Amino acid sequence: MTSSNEYGYNSWELIVTVDHQYEEEQKEFTLRVSGDLHIGGVMLKLVEQINLSRDWSDYALWWEQKKCWLLKTHWTLDKCGVQADAKLLFTTQHKMLRLCLPNMKTVRLKVSFSSVVFKAVSDICKTLNIRRSEELSLLKQSEDTLKKKKKKDKNNKEPVIEDILNLYNSPVISGSPASPGLYSKTMTPIYDPVNGTPVSSTITWFSDSPLTAPNCNILAFSHPNCSPETLAEMYQPRTLADKAKLNAGWLDSSRSLMEQGVQEDDQLLLRFKYYAFFDLNPKYDAVRINQLYEQARWAILLEEIDCTEEEMLIFAALQYHLSKLSLSSEAQDFTNESEVDEVEAALSNLEVTLEGGKMDNTLEDITDIPKLADNLRLFRPKKLTLKAFKQYWFVFKDTSVSYFKNKEAGQGEPIEKLNLKGCEVVPDVNVAGRKFGIKLLVPVADGMNEVYFRCDNENQYACWMAACVLAAKGKTMADSSYQPEVHKILSFLRMKNRTTSPQAVSDPESVDMKPERFVSPRYAKKYKSKQLAARILEAHQNVARMPLVEAKLRFIQAWQSLPEFGLTYYIVRFKGSKKDDLLGVSYNRLIRIDAATGDPITTWRFSSMKQWNVNWEIRQVAIEFDQNVSIAFTCLSADCKVVHEYIGGYIFLSTRSKDQNETLDEDLFHKLTGGQE
């Protein structure tokens, strides 16, 4: 027998299970330890007892009952709270994970299961060469989507072979030097201006990333649309409540994958979570722009976002155009392109940077705030009244719009002055019908007042619409973003403009076009295939000359122009209310929405937010705004931490600037989103 002195009075047995990477069975080892032994010492003892010569550097201890990693190797067992009844697993920190990307392609790669999700996503994005990783996150599929998938697999007698792109030869090791690729400041990869792919001389800079030429092609190019039958079998949210369910599965960015029940080789969705796309640059963002385009495309096709028939045809025309360009681009192997001298390319880049942009702002722009004054028609909805518009003289200055009986009365008191700061601006346009309207939901004490403006033509509409959009954000027409906003609206209207020509309808391409692939199933049922093809080809004439990357950016801009863009829905119960409402979270505001009608009730801007906190005991989010406005709600369709992280995440993203050199303040992100549970 061994004397008690040999072990010490406070020693005890600790059972540790070892998860061997290449062996099916796990083995248990019993260690004699004491409470003052540190975690590193436990691991050392364990490795000595295993007595296997191998690299154990990626292994760490996982505490199963507490669902946490023991990563602080200098902490003692007593400090960690580990006792004899603890079940510890000695396992690898990096494991295989299947990620479904926005383009519906699945990639399989090694991901850190011990880093917080925010860091894991950053490492994933470095592997995939996607800049601005803070805009993306990981999402668990909703139960409704999985049910539909299981039903489809049950009906399909043939086994489905999933097309997976394996990137596991190059594991994403947290803390390892990132692939120079898009993150190098001295050697910037040069992209083909037509198709946005890296030219051959710079593809070698991706050498320590698995994204070699063919893999980069898969992620940077859009691929042919799926068949209408496949599209019809995919889950489509029918109501706002259905859309709210889709957003319940976002993972907590402040905890690791393992802590949230994710197992090795599970499938998660990698998606753009925050709709605030910073510094989109065709020169560096081939993969990012394509994945963003794909997320927008699927949102349109699966009706996750509503759009009019006219808008659906524009989206269809751009998709058709891109599918044609992609097929012709894929036929060319971009690695055979003419070599580009790296030094020469870097010097030309530097020259452009040093020259800078031309300064259009004059002293007059700084001192004088521009104003708009014109005849518009106005309508205020009332119960049991027809939609009759009446003409008034309108003056738009600062963030307010005033209207008068006529131009002569413009010097006197206005009939009404509307302050548009914090209002909702919705386009009410039908280009074919020459209808250019603006719907305003102006916040008042007891909700939102509806007001409609009607313009005479495209140019007038673009100027007034841009002014309203900026005023809603608290900006005036003196802001540098006013003119770009006007041009963006005009270019979108021109795409909608139907230029009918006889050959458009009788185009032989329409025979093989399969137009149902480019529209949502609801619109595909509405028209015969030939009619739909003719209408898409008609709309295609406005975009037929666009290069590939520009067409994708136009698609993204058109998506951003939709009234529902960027709204993430949650079912909530407001404090003091007896019924459930919907909460729409956007990049700059929160909207309370009537669950039955879908109408906005109240809007609160982040710019007027003083503070927000969470009562973790009752899972209630409380927010205080200016002018003594405060709200509180509990979230019913997801954990309140998900909504709390959304709000904090958007506020964090608003602090970014181009001067930051792409480095992120991760601590600030966790302060704003982590909460104190």
Side-chain angles (χ1 to χ4, degrees), residues 659-677:
D659 307 331
Q660 284 178 321
N661 209 19
E662 289 186 25
T663 53
L664 283 173
D665 187 346
E666 196 176 328
D667 290 339
L668 177 63
F669 176 83
H670 291 303
K671 274 180 190 171
L672 289 169
T673 62
Q676 301 296 320
E677 284 199 60

Side-chain angles (χ1 to χ4, degrees), residues 396-604:
F396 203 129
K397 191 159 186 184
D398 293 329
T399 58
S400 300
V401 62
S402 308
Y403 61 95
F404 306 83
K405 191 175 181 182
N406 49 41
K407 189 176 179 179
E408 289 70 35
Q411 302 303 319
E413 281 293 310
I415 297 169
E416 189 178 10
K417 185 177 181 179
L418 302 168
N419 184 3
L420 302 191
K421 195 174 178 181
C423 75
E424 290 297 307
V425 185
V426 184
D428 183 25
V429 176
N430 184 327
V431 177
R434 306 300 297 162
K435 172 184 158 189
F436 303 102
I438 302 167
K439 178 183 173 184
L440 296 172
L441 295 161
V442 185
V444 288
D446 57 344
M448 308 281 270
N449 272 351
E450 239 177 274
V451 183
Y452 288 82
F453 296 167
R454 186 66 62 83
C455 302
D456 295 326
N457 53 53
E458 290 99 328
N459 291 326
Q460 189 187 46
Y461 168 79
C463 292
W464 285 82
M465 183 65 177
C468 290
V469 168
L470 262 67
K473 297 174 186 175
K475 296 177 181 178
T476 69
M477 286 176 281
D479 193 85
S480 60
S481 60
Y482 175 67
Q483 284 304 328
E485 186 70 30
V486 173
H487 292 310
K488 191 173 92 174
I489 293 165
L490 279 171
S491 68
F492 191 36
L493 290 177
R494 285 185 194 117
M495 282 198 293
K496 287 182 175 184
N497 201 11
R498 289 162 69 177
T499 49
T500 314
S501 61
Q503 71 266 26
V505 180
S506 59
D507 195 317
E509 290 177 26
S510 62
V511 178
D512 304 318
M513 184 183 176
K514 295 180 182 169
E516 295 83 4
R517 294 183 304 162
F518 304 111
V519 295
S520 67
R522 185 158 56 97
Y523 284 101
K525 288 172 190 169
K526 201 172 176 182
Y527 296 99
K528 288 180 181 174
S529 188
K530 212 170 181 180
Q531 288 176 315
L532 197 56
R535 295 195 70 183
I536 292 171
L537 286 169
E538 194 181 308
H540 177 248
Q541 290 186 310
N542 292 325
V543 298
R545 295 182 183 278
M546 276 186 199
L548 188 138
V549 176
E550 190 191 332
K552 284 179 187 175
L553 288 170
R554 281 293 178 89
F555 193 100
I556 293 165
Q557 283 177 353
W559 175 48
Q560 288 173 307
S561 301
L562 297 176
E564 270 189 38
F565 168 76
L567 278 176
T568 307
Y569 298 102
Y570 290 98
I571 300 169
V572 299
R573 174 74 63 89
F574 278 88
K575 190 177 180 181
S577 175
K578 291 181 180 178
K579 65 183 184 73
D580 300 344
D581 285 310
L582 282 160
L583 182 75
V585 184
S586 180
Y587 72 96
N588 60 356
R589 67 203 190 281
L590 298 172
I591 309 173
R592 183 177 181 174
I593 300 164
D594 189 302
T597 62
D599 294 335
I601 300 169
T602 321
T603 297
W604 303 279

